[in-house]
């Protein structure tokens, strides 16, 4: 049976980073794009209707965040993540990465330390370094083909260095790990003990598969509300990254003042009307679409893992508990670092993200985005297999 997410949408020529950026990032116009984290699916109908209505009804001048937007966020966080928040604990930003930068500026001084896991989503390191903070990496361990935090290492580094901020990717990109409640409690307790502000990037928290449960530190213990800032957006889940709206959840007044101060210093207040309208329509009116999406993605995840289990037996991978990103170990290709990315383009005509971008420990990994119609996924996996078949036959 044809399902809504089966529809192939031609995105080339739409200024899409994923499709039209292939020339710039892969020097190819044909490689099947299975890289940057956006989905090749049509938008939820309620979002499209809301945006059409906006254009028909309103002058597009400067906007204030609406009460209904606040309420849609409050309800979503309460229903989905058991978070209890109020309007005045929400601040807006154009994107989560920009919000990470604001947090770094708000809670540390140049030269002071910011800790991240290794590997992790690329901008965690780049935004730290571009803000002249000292970067500390805590390598993730692997247990049962999943990443786990090395809490001993984190504590050791907290005790030795002047670390002010921890940037947590929760759930984890690129590994797709959903952190356990125990790991999050231990990490947050360590942050409190050593005076470290925990920034929990939860942009992937609504892309969690049926066997897992996402926990948000601020929902685990009231005292955590004073040391944790949560970052969230509808952009990944509803594929609306282009409308540019994210938000901070910050429950402590002092932390909130510091964030607001940096935002006003850099003239970053104000809100995108398109972002506001699309986000509200996502959270308030697109539950069925979201449920159907998760079902489709879970089927795609099964398809990818079955494919690797049957066709690429020698390749280790991490089955994602969340995200539509599939992280596999390409070390049998015996090709180092960035050359690996080129190998997939040259032999397979497929564009994937290479592990070197995510840290010092993951150069042999590749990241494949499976948020696409099934037929496209089938084609992409054939291309990936071709690379392994040809290269290992040499
Ligand atoms: C963990 C994480 N945070 C943030 C972002 C990007 O957020 P934004 O586009 O809102 O800056 C991504 C995009 O893939 C991501 O994976």
């Amino acid at each position: 049976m044809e399902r809504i997410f089966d529809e192939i949408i031609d995105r080339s020529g739409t200024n899409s980073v994923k499709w039209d950026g292939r020339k710039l990032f892969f020097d190819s116009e044909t490689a099947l794009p299975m890289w940057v984290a956006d989905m090749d699916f049509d938008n939820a109908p309620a979002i499209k209707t809301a945006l059409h209505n906006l254009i028909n009804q309103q002058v597009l001048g400067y906007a204030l965040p609406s009460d209904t937007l606040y309420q849609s966020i409050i309800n979503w966080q309460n229903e989905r993540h058991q978070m209890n928040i109020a309007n005045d604990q929400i601040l807006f930003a154009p994107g989560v990465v920009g919000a990470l930068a604001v947090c770094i500026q708000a809670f540390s001084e140049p030269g002071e330390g910011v800790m991240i896991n290794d590997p992790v989503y690329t901008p965690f390191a780049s935004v730290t370094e571009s803000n002249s903070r000292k970067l500390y990496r805590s390598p993730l361990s692997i247990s049962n083909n999943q990443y786990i935090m090395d809490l001993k290492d984190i504590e050791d580094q907290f005790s030795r260095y002047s670390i002010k901020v921890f940037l947590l990717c929760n759930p984890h990109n690129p590994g797709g790990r959903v952190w356990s409640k125990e790991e999050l409690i231990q990490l947050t307790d360590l942050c409190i003990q050593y005076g470290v502000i925990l920034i929990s990037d939860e942009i992937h928290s609504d892309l969690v598969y049926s066997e897992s449960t996402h926990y948000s530190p601020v929902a685990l213990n009231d005292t955590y509300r004073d040391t944790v800032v949560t970052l969230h957006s509808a952009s990944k889940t509803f594929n609306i990254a282009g409308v540019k709206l994210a938000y901070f959840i910050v429950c402590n007044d002092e932390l909130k003042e510091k964030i607001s101060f940096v935002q006003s210093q850099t003239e970053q207040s104000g809100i995108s009307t398109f972002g506001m309208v699309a986000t509200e329509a996502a959270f308030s009116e697109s539950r069925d679409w979201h449920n159907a999406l998760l079902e489709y993605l879970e089927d795609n995840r099964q398809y990818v893992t079955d494919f690797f289990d049957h066709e690429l037996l020698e390749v280790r991978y991490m089955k994602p508990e969340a995200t539509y990103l599939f992280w596999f170990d390409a070390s049998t290709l015996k090709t180092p670092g960035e050359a690996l990315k080129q190998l997939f383009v040259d032999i397979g005509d497929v564009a994937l993200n290479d592990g070197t971008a995510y840290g010092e420990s993951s150069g042999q990994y590749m990241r494949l985005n499976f948020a696409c119609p099934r037929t496209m996924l089938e084609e992409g996996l054939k291309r990936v297999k071709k690379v392994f078949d040809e290269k290992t036959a040499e």
Side-chain angles (χ1 to χ4, degrees):
M1 194 183 74
E2 174 107 343
R3 295 180 290 175
I4 49 172
F5 300 103
D6 281 334
E7 186 195 350
I8 299 276
I9 299 168
D10 183 2
R11 298 179 67 194
S12 39
T14 64
N15 294 318
S16 143
V17 168
K18 191 177 184 182
W19 288 78
D20 297 320
R22 285 176 293 180
K23 182 89 195 96
L24 184 63
F25 294 100
F26 294 88
D27 196 21
S28 166
E29 287 179 5
T30 57
L32 193 67
M34 307 188 85
W35 62 302
V36 64
D38 87 17
M39 308 193 278
D40 292 311
F41 300 136
D42 198 5
N43 288 115
I47 296 176
K48 292 213 252 193
T49 304
L51 290 173
H52 280 299
N53 290 344
L54 170 69
I55 305 249
N56 291 340
Q57 287 163 18
Q58 211 169 300
V59 177
L60 295 171
Y62 294 117
L64 289 167
S66 64
D67 286 342
T68 47
L69 171 66
Y70 280 115
Q71 203 51 51
S72 71
I73 293 171
I74 289 168
N75 292 347
W76 184 270
Q77 289 294 347
N78 190 289
E79 274 171 33
R80 306 284 160 148
H81 307 302
Q82 293 69 55
M83 221 187 262
N84 250 320
I85 49 171
N87 286 22
D88 63 356
Q89 293 164 336
I90 298 169
L91 293 171
F92 293 100
V96 167
V97 174
L100 287 168
V102 168
C103 288
I104 288 171
Q105 290 173 19
F107 305 125
S108 67
E109 297 295 327
E112 288 182 328
V114 172
M115 181 176 270
I116 64 172
N117 287 125
D118 187 310
V120 78
Y121 177 56
T122 315
F124 278 35
S126 54
V127 85
T128 298
E129 290 181 324
S130 64
N131 278 285
S132 308
R133 270 56 172 181
K134 190 157 169 37
L135 182 66
Y136 292 90
R137 297 174 188 265
S138 179
L140 293 169
S141 309
I142 298 179
S143 170
N144 294 325
N145 282 331
Q146 293 291 351
Y147 282 129
I148 53 170
M149 288 187 214
D150 185 344
L151 291 148
K152 271 212 178 77
D153 174 73
I154 293 171
E155 173 157 29
D156 181 50
Q157 296 202 53
F158 277 1
S159 69
R160 287 195 291 138
Y161 308 118
S162 169
I163 295 170
K164 301 293 178 189
V165 177
F166 190 107
L167 305 179
L168 174 70
C169 195
N170 177 29
H172 183 255
N173 170 12
R177 177 79 209 287
V178 174
W179 305 115
S180 69
K181 197 194 272 191
E182 292 68 33
E183 274 171 310
L184 291 171
I185 288 174
Q186 286 182 55
L187 175 68
T188 316
D189 285 345
L190 282 177
C191 286
I192 292 175
Q193 188 184 338
Y194 289 94
V196 175
I197 302 297
L198 178 61
I199 312 300
S200 182
D201 173 345
E202 302 189 5
I203 199 168
H204 294 284
S205 60
D206 300 306
L207 293 166
V208 173
Y209 297 110
S210 50
E211 76 282 358
S212 298
T213 306
H214 164 80
Y215 296 99
S216 191
V218 291
L220 289 177
N221 182 329
D222 277 350
T223 61
Y224 293 174
R225 293 163 77 95
D226 286 333
T227 43
V228 179
V229 174
T230 309
L231 306 180
H232 192 257
S233 169
S235 63
K236 286 289 124 177
T237 310
F238 293 93
N239 212 27
I240 50 173
V243 299
K244 302 302 278 179
L245 189 69
Y247 57 96
F248 305 81
I249 296 169
V250 50
C251 302
N252 173 287
D253 286 342
E254 212 180 299
L255 301 188
K256 187 177 145 192
E257 251 172 53
K258 288 185 173 172
I259 290 175
S260 298
F261 179 73
V262 174
Q263 285 193 304
S264 67
Q265 236 184 357
T266 48
E267 295 295 345
Q268 279 189 41
S269 43
I271 188 165
S272 147
T273 317
F274 290 101
M276 167 158 71
V277 166
T279 300
E280 183 182 333
F283 288 152
S284 300
E285 297 175 69
S286 305
R287 285 177 173 70
D288 291 347
W289 185 92
H290 177 226
N291 290 338
L293 170 77
L294 283 177
E295 245 179 64
Y296 195 87
L297 290 177
E298 194 154 335
D299 283 354
N300 270 6
R301 179 184 67 157
Q302 186 68 43
Y303 186 84
V304 178
T305 55
D306 284 349
F307 186 91
F308 271 69
D309 290 345
H310 294 110
E311 304 289 337
L312 290 165
L313 283 171
E314 77 283 12
V315 181
R316 278 192 319 128
Y317 62 80
M318 292 189 187
K319 179 177 179 180
E321 298 167 334
T323 80
Y324 44 74
L325 307 166
F326 182 77
W327 185 238
F328 64 91
D329 179 345
S331 48
T332 55
L333 297 175
K334 297 192 175 51
T335 305
E338 285 226 356
L340 205 46
K341 165 175 150 183
Q342 198 56 41
L343 193 73
F344 279 87
V345 174
D346 292 345
I347 301 181
D349 205 18
V350 61
L352 308 180
N353 291 97
D354 58 300
T356 46
Y358 298 87
E360 291 171 345
S361 61
S362 56
Q364 79 277 24
Y365 280 85
M366 296 297 285
R367 196 191 75 171
L368 177 149
N369 174 348
F370 58 82
C372 59
R374 174 61 63 82
T375 48
M376 201 185 283
L377 180 59
E378 289 170 4
E379 176 59 30
L381 291 175
K382 270 189 217 151
R383 296 180 186 210
V384 168
K385 181 171 158 48
K386 184 166 182 254
V387 179
F388 280 95
D389 287 350
E390 287 192 18
K391 185 71 182 156
T392 49
E394 272 174 12

